[in-house]
Amino acid sequence: MILTVTLNTALDITYRVRSLRPHTSHRVGEVTERPGGKGLNVARVLAALGHEVTVTGFTGGDTGRTVQDRLTAVPGLVDALVPVSGPTRRTIAIMDERSGDTTQLNEPGPTVTPAEWSAFQEAYEDLVPSVSAVALCGSLPPGVPVGAYAGLIRTAKAAGVPVLLDTSGEALRRGVAARPDILKPNTDELAELTGSHEPLRATQDARRRGALAVVASLGKEGLLATTPEGRWRATPPSSEYGNPTGAGDAVVAGLLTGLLDQLPWPDRLTRAVALAAATVRSPTAGDFDRMDYEKLLAGVSVTAA
């Protein structure tokens, strides 16, 4: 069982329009809704790959109930979300069919009270001993301490459970010092953490700050990994255009399954890049086609960095 933590869950709404133009009205051709937030996207990919996964974090209000109702339709997924009084946020992705580009609008999350944060910590401590890996994903909603992920990492590591961290800003800086097994930033997050805009140097610096392994998302150029076993670049077979929402979360799912399957790092990166590319091709946020993913596996290139 894998545990994913999404402290700032969301309802992801995707609009498809023929061409997105400012200052005009648009006729929406298609609307889709999915449970969202990084950890829930990771969990959905894991479940699609046949893994049992438990999701926890916060949920509240009518939007939160919609998220939980939708989660019941995901086979192999266990809902352990913790209720809060504030409403779960929504994220709006507007996909331009002509250009293939996507515009993202993210609402703020609910304000979490000290009592609600304490209730979550108790629930998390109860879940960790029964899982094989933990993924801590996404932003912190208002009210959650900035060092929250550092504490959650220490709890998991004390139980002998490997941890992947995917966040940004001060939560990332505090979290990396708690020594996660895998850190998964994008290039902007990595530069903010280390002060370096050269990805290879920045991943090495992030390891020195505490992460055992660092896997940086390079967008359409794939992944760069700095690990105890070596350094690699993994690139997709071609530049993918489409809806990038959830692509980074597909990377996290690929890295987690590679960790549990004890794959060599090049094979873990191949899996993660293929999943991300398949997710970008999908018209729905955080979704992917299994056959498309399997075809993409053969085209991923991994070279020493």
Side-chain angles (χ1 to χ4, degrees):
M1 179 76 74
I2 299 171
L3 176 66
T4 71
V5 176
T6 314
L7 297 178
N8 211 0
T9 57
L11 181 66
D12 285 342
I13 304 170
T14 302
Y15 295 145
R16 294 176 66 91
V17 299
R18 181 167 295 180
S19 178
L20 181 61
R21 302 182 307 278
H23 315 302
T24 63
S25 298
H26 295 79
R27 185 176 298 278
V28 177
E30 181 183 357
V31 181
T32 57
E33 293 184 349
R34 288 288 183 91
K38 283 181 172 292
L40 295 190
N41 288 336
V42 172
R44 192 163 54 247
V45 174
L46 289 169
L49 292 171
H51 291 268
E52 293 185 346
V53 57
T54 295
V55 298
T56 191
F58 294 115
T59 182
D62 291 340
T63 306
R65 283 188 286 274
T66 300
V67 166
Q68 291 185 284
D69 288 345
R70 298 294 178 90
L71 289 176
T72 62
V74 181
L77 188 148
V78 177
D79 176 0
L81 293 168
V82 176
V84 292
S85 57
T88 294
R89 66 192 176 118
R90 296 170 297 177
T91 67
I92 312 296
I94 307 172
M95 185 174 181
D96 186 319
E97 293 178 342
R98 288 187 176 176
S99 69
D101 292 333
T102 300
T103 299
Q104 190 82 15
L105 305 173
N106 296 328
E107 295 181 352
T111 298
V112 177
T113 68
E116 291 167 340
W117 174 237
S118 294
F120 171 80
Q121 289 178 289
E122 291 178 7
Y124 177 80
E125 290 170 3
D126 289 342
L127 288 167
V128 164
S130 63
V131 303
S132 52
V134 172
L136 305 174
C137 304
S139 61
L140 301 178
V144 172
V146 71
Y149 282 138
L152 299 181
I153 290 168
R154 287 190 285 267
T155 297
K157 293 183 74 69
V161 178
V163 185
L164 183 151
L165 177 64
D166 181 11
T167 188
S168 60
E170 185 65 14
L172 172 60
R173 190 182 71 81
R174 299 281 188 97
V176 71
R179 304 185 66 81
D181 295 88
I182 302 174
L183 188 70
K184 206 292 294 176
N186 60 34
T187 52
D188 290 340
E189 293 160 351
L190 192 59
E192 183 180 5
L193 173 67
T194 66
S196 174
H197 291 273
E198 200 292 303
L200 183 57
R201 180 181 301 170
T203 56
Q204 293 171 317
D205 188 358
R207 279 204 70 215
R208 287 191 291 269
R209 291 168 185 261
L212 182 63
V214 181
V215 181
S217 293
L218 307 178
K220 295 175 182 178
E221 297 179 9
L223 300 175
L224 171 65
T226 297
T227 79
E229 288 77 35
R231 302 189 297 268
W232 293 274
R233 288 183 183 269
T235 55
S238 61
S239 295
E240 301 295 337
Y241 295 90
N243 187 352
T245 304
D249 307 321
V251 167
V252 171
L255 295 175
L256 286 171
T257 62
L259 170 68
L260 296 182
D261 292 343
Q262 298 183 328
L263 296 180
W265 269 103
D267 293 340
R268 299 187 199 185
L269 299 173
T270 296
R271 182 179 290 182
V273 167
L275 279 170
T279 301
V280 171
R281 289 184 178 186
S282 172
T284 303
D287 200 1
F288 74 99
D289 181 86
R290 182 64 178 263
M291 291 183 63
D292 197 23
Y293 156 63
E294 292 175 354
K295 290 177 182 177
L296 285 163
L297 279 170
V300 175
S301 173
V302 181
T303 57

